[in-house]
Amino acid sequence: MEGGLKGRLSAGAELYFSLKEKSAGVSTGIRFTTLPDASPPSTSGTPDSNIPAQTPTTLTATFNPMMGHISAAYAARASRDLALCSRFDFNIYSYESEWTMGAEWWLRRAAGRRLTTDIQKEETENDNSNSSEPVALNDISPPGQDAPSPFPSNGIPGLGGDVTGVVKARISTSSDVSLMWEGRIRNMLVSLGVVSDLSNRSKPIKSIGLELAYFSGPE
């Protein structure tokens, strides 16, 4: 369709049977996912130039006729660092429903700070190399020949900043609110999350979790 989303449509089904409980079931599902942009990335270095032509979007719908459960989900990337999603669950037998909304926000280090750190690191390496190795006269270009430039020819890379972590949030009509932060501290991955129940005023915090994962390797 001209002017619409271009993507791939997938459909599937599963059939299962339990000998112990002597019960069977069937489930069907359909999903639409936009195709990634095939154009090469821009070399301008601006964050807006890296935004794809169409918004990355995923739509999913599942139906279980035996249990009467229907689920529909929608997820999209609103910007470079923000992703939004929504899911609706409904049961045709009990008329119970739940609406859940979620978001992800990627945290990045400031571009100016990253650039300053890289420049200071390069200057320190150059000072160490110049102080330890003498300058040879044969390495100096004779008159009439261009000496190699000390600056890179490809220019400064994109000033988008490095990813330092991600914040995930979720809220539903069942009064559950979840918040989690994931990030890296040196050689350790840290995940900190909290789940709360807004309907319970005496004990609004249901659980708090902390996960640490250590890995060895170069920085």
Side-chain angles (χ1 to χ4, degrees):
M1 180 182 298
E2 187 68 23
L5 294 177
K6 299 179 181 180
R8 178 175 59 247
L9 185 64
S10 306
E14 64 175 358
L15 178 65
Y16 55 90
F17 178 77
S18 176
L19 295 176
K20 183 178 180 180
E21 299 179 358
K22 296 181 180 180
S23 61
V26 62
S27 178
T28 60
I30 187 172
R31 182 179 64 182
F32 173 80
T33 304
T34 55
L35 297 176
D37 191 4
S39 59
S42 176
T43 58
S44 60
T46 58
D48 295 338
S49 61
N50 296 328
I51 299 177
Q54 61 178 0
T55 303
T57 306
T58 301
L59 294 90
T60 307
T62 58
F63 175 58
N64 190 328
M66 302 294 293
M67 300 296 179
H69 181 259
I70 301 176
S71 178
Y74 171 82
R77 181 182 175 185
S79 64
R80 185 190 62 165
D81 299 329
L82 178 63
L84 303 175
C85 62
S86 177
R87 186 183 65 191
F88 180 75
D89 297 321
F90 180 75
N91 192 283
I92 60 178
Y93 298 141
S94 62
Y95 297 103
E96 294 181 355
S97 62
E98 183 180 8
W99 184 27
T100 306
M101 295 176 293
E104 287 186 357
W105 177 261
W106 293 87
L107 305 176
R108 297 178 184 270
R109 186 170 54 179
R113 179 182 176 185
R114 179 173 63 92
L115 183 60
T116 303
T117 304
D118 295 341
I119 293 177
Q120 292 177 353
K121 184 178 180 180
E122 292 179 0
E123 291 178 352
T124 304
E125 293 177 354
N126 293 335
D127 294 341
N128 295 335
S129 61
N130 293 335
S131 59
S132 59
E133 298 180 0
V135 178
L137 296 179
N138 295 333
D139 295 339
I140 301 178
S141 300
Q145 296 185 6
D146 296 334
S149 174
F151 301 99
S153 59
N154 55 356
I156 300 175
L159 301 179
D162 298 333
V163 176
T164 59
V166 57
V167 177
K168 301 180 181 181
R170 186 186 67 178
I171 186 172
S172 65
T173 54
S174 59
S175 302
D176 287 343
V177 178
S178 303
L179 184 64
M180 184 175 65
W181 172 82
E182 293 180 347
R184 174 182 174 182
I185 302 178
R186 293 185 178 273
N187 289 354
M188 184 175 297
L189 297 178
V190 182
S191 299
L192 177 62
V194 58
V195 179
S196 61
D197 185 4
L198 300 181
S199 61
N200 191 350
R201 296 184 179 180
S202 60
K203 191 178 179 181
I205 304 299
K206 297 176 60 176
S207 61
I208 299 177
L210 175 63
E211 180 181 357
L212 303 176
Y214 178 81
F215 62 93
S216 60
E219 292 289 341

